[in-house]
Amino acid sequence: MTYFQVNRKLLLMKIHFFLGIGGNAFGPFLTIISKQRGYSAFIVGLIFMLQPIPGMLMRPIVGAVTDKYKCRRSVFIANSIIMFVLVCLLSIIPGTTSKEEMNDLDVIKSPLFWMFCTITILIRMVGMVNMVLEDTICMDLLGEDKNNYGKQRLWGSIGWSLFAIIYGTCVDWYSTGLDYKNYTPGYVIAMLCFLLDTYVVCNLKIVQANDTKIVASDVKKVFTEGKVLAFLLWVVFIGFFMSFIWNFVFWYLEDLSNEFHPETKSWMKTLQGTALLIQCFGGEVPSFLFSSYILKRVDHMTVLSAVFFTFTCIFSLYTIIENPLWALPVELLNGITFAMSYSAAISYAALIAPAGAEGTLQGVVGTAYMGIGAPIGSIVGGYMFKHIGSIATFKLLSVVAFFTCAVQIIVNYILRRLSKNDDINSNVQTKDDNIKEDIHLT
């Protein structure tokens, strides 16, 4: 008789992804919360540029420290508790609403702005540290099956999408009859997610080998290889493009609503939550599910080439849409770009990491993705949205994405040829050495 078996070793990891990432689903609404406060697109871009900087510094540090002192478990638990506390603080910051855009200088002088900005920065920092820990722990649990990372991470996308639509629907319902949106239900749901996730993390089995020593020369050697440096550069560009999707698509949808379809304003939060639902279930979940199959058969760099081409299609489609509803099908592509690029980046980092330095490598890759590419995209996006508008911004981005795709394909081709030549030279040298040894013996 066949029984349905559950891998208990990975079950709690799946639940953590579901709750931990699901709790963070209020993140995309921070852009619109900021807009409701009267902040301009440039100020919002400034916030999202500042957000990843502490995390950018902390990710490689935490990765290296937890590798060296074997304290991954305690840091992971502490992070979950801190996230719960920070969301509580964010929910009690005095709220302001403004129908008119405030002067940027007045905003920067406001203590209320810096209180809001500081809490969101700390939330992002803790979230980024959590990412390097959960990815490293997940890879340790997978052992030799590292390409199956996507099958675990897809539960984060499921949680993200479900809680996003719940957030949006509850906020619309709670704000009925008001001139502004009240986001209290979203904060409450997020706090509940992080509280439950803390319990899950406390029961998660996390084992670090005590006899593995990190050899600094091995880590240094990895970062001097041309293909690795090129890989990190492409990860930075992906973070740059993803920041426009993460931070400004909701802003773009509201621009479309205000200009072309004002009848969608009353249920805009539900529409935005639906966009995340489609993005995750239609794009991310299938992509994470099949990422192991794809990455076993397709080179990691080829996957990134496909991601850059998909960015070109996404930004081009945004320029021809007038009804916000037509943006929903595009979210399928957004899910694919994130899931495939993130799976490729995390699995590649795990493959090239020297023994004992897994957390360090994951921290560096995460820093390139979230800590360098994303903040640059945030401030550039904020400036472009403010000065040339959302549609013109996406037109320019489509050209940049296509150019990046072309350059990446050319560089990868050159690196492959150089790698093949090195292998040939190495084989020839080995044969020469064997011949010389045979002659000497004779």
Side-chain angles (χ1 to χ4, degrees):
M1 181 179 290
T2 302
Y3 294 92
F4 178 73
Q5 294 183 340
V6 177
N7 188 332
R8 297 178 63 87
K9 185 174 69 171
L10 295 172
L11 178 60
L12 286 180
M13 194 74 232
K14 291 181 174 70
I15 297 174
H16 160 70
F17 277 131
F18 180 82
L19 292 172
I21 297 177
N24 274 298
F26 72 89
F29 293 97
L30 289 175
T31 301
I32 308 305
I33 293 173
S34 302
K35 185 178 183 181
Q36 184 171 283
R37 288 173 173 262
Y39 303 158
S40 70
F42 176 75
I43 291 295
V44 173
L46 177 65
I47 293 173
F48 285 102
M49 182 198 73
L50 294 174
Q51 275 187 3
I53 293 177
M56 175 182 67
L57 300 174
M58 289 297 295
R59 281 190 68 139
I61 292 174
V62 169
V65 168
T66 54
D67 279 343
K68 182 176 181 179
Y69 296 104
K70 317 300 178 187
C71 56
R72 200 170 288 154
R73 176 184 176 82
S74 57
V75 174
F76 200 27
I77 294 172
N79 252 35
S80 299
I81 297 171
I82 292 171
M83 182 66 84
F84 170 78
V85 173
L86 289 174
V87 175
C88 292
L89 293 176
L90 183 64
S91 67
I92 62 175
I93 292 178
T96 60
T97 57
S98 177
K99 293 184 178 180
E100 295 184 0
E101 189 174 285
M102 298 171 62
N103 180 273
D104 290 347
L105 188 59
D106 291 338
V107 172
I108 293 175
K109 291 180 179 179
S110 169
L112 195 61
F113 162 75
W114 286 108
M115 187 184 302
F116 175 78
C117 186
T118 301
I119 296 298
T120 58
I121 287 173
L122 291 175
I123 288 175
R124 183 66 179 273
M125 181 189 74
V126 174
M128 291 178 69
V129 170
N130 256 351
M131 288 175 69
V132 68
L133 291 171
E134 66 193 12
D135 289 339
T136 306
I137 291 167
C138 184
M139 286 297 178
D140 286 343
L141 292 173
L142 288 171
E144 298 296 322
D145 299 323
K146 299 189 187 303
N147 283 331
N148 285 329
Y149 167 80
K151 292 181 180 179
Q152 319 310 315
R153 179 56 177 76
L154 69 84
W155 289 96
S157 296
I158 293 172
W160 174 279
S161 58
L162 288 178
F163 286 112
I165 188 64
I166 292 172
Y167 290 165
T169 303
C170 289
V171 168
D172 276 341
W173 165 76
Y174 197 72
S175 306
T176 303
L178 300 177
D179 294 332
Y180 60 91
K181 298 295 182 180
N182 189 322
Y183 290 89
T184 300
Y187 294 133
V188 172
I189 295 170
M191 285 186 281
L192 181 60
C193 285
F194 290 127
L195 187 62
L196 293 172
D197 185 50
T198 301
Y199 175 78
V200 171
V201 168
C202 288
N203 289 277
L204 187 64
K205 186 177 182 180
I206 303 172
V207 179
Q208 283 183 266
N210 293 318
D211 57 349
T212 303
K213 294 183 179 180
I214 304 173
V215 180
S217 59
D218 290 343
V219 179
K220 183 178 179 180
K221 182 180 178 181
V222 169
F223 291 115
T224 58
E225 295 182 13
K227 62 179 182 181
V228 175
L229 295 176
F231 161 71
L232 292 175
L233 177 62
W234 308 138
V235 170
V236 169
F237 272 100
I238 289 172
F240 175 84
F241 291 129
M242 284 303 308
S243 69
F244 284 84
I245 295 169
W246 290 333
N247 301 332
F248 295 106
V249 167
F250 280 11
W251 191 296
Y252 162 72
L253 292 177
E254 297 211 349
D255 283 349
L256 292 180
S257 177
N258 292 331
E259 186 170 352
F260 300 109
H261 290 272
E263 73 277 5
T264 61
K265 289 182 180 180
S266 62
W267 43 279
M268 179 52 66
K269 301 305 116 183
T270 302
L271 176 63
Q272 291 166 341
T274 303
L276 291 180
L277 184 72
I278 292 174
Q279 180 186 126
C280 294
F281 272 101
E284 284 187 22
V285 171
S287 297
F288 274 129
L289 184 62
F290 292 107
S291 63
S292 60
Y293 177 86
I294 295 171
L295 291 171
K296 286 177 182 178
R297 291 160 177 80
V298 181
D299 179 73
H300 288 74
M301 296 303 104
T302 302
V303 170
L304 297 188
S305 299
V307 167
F308 284 124
F309 180 75
T310 307
F311 277 129
T312 304
C313 297
I314 290 170
F315 298 139
S316 298
L317 289 171
Y318 278 146
T319 64
I320 61 176
I321 293 172
E322 291 187 356
N323 191 324
L325 286 172
W326 284 108
L328 296 182
V330 183
E331 297 307 305
L332 292 171
L333 297 178
N334 284 334
I336 294 172
T337 54
F338 172 70
M340 289 309 305
S341 65
Y342 198 70
S343 294
I346 295 300
S347 62
Y348 188 78
L351 289 173
I352 65 174
E358 296 85 358
T360 304
L361 264 293
Q362 294 294 351
V364 171
V365 171
T367 298
Y369 200 119
M370 306 285 189
I372 298 177
I376 293 174
S378 297
I379 190 63
V380 171
Y383 181 87
M384 292 173 69
F385 263 59
K386 180 178 177 65
H387 292 282
I388 67 175
S390 55
I391 294 177
T393 296
F394 285 127
K395 283 183 179 179
L396 182 58
L397 276 177
S398 64
V399 176
V400 176
F402 180 78
F403 179 76
T404 305
C405 179
V407 172
Q408 195 251 1
I409 291 173
I410 294 170
V411 171
N412 288 339
Y413 175 78
I414 294 172
L415 288 174
R416 284 197 196 98
R417 292 296 299 269
L418 292 175
S419 178
K420 287 181 180 179
N421 290 338
D422 289 342
D423 291 341
I424 292 172
N425 292 335
S426 177
N427 290 334
V428 170
Q429 183 63 42
T430 301
K431 289 180 179 179
D432 288 344
D433 291 341
N434 290 337
I435 292 172
K436 290 179 181 178
E437 185 177 350
D438 290 341
I439 294 173
H440 176 73
L441 292 174
T442 302

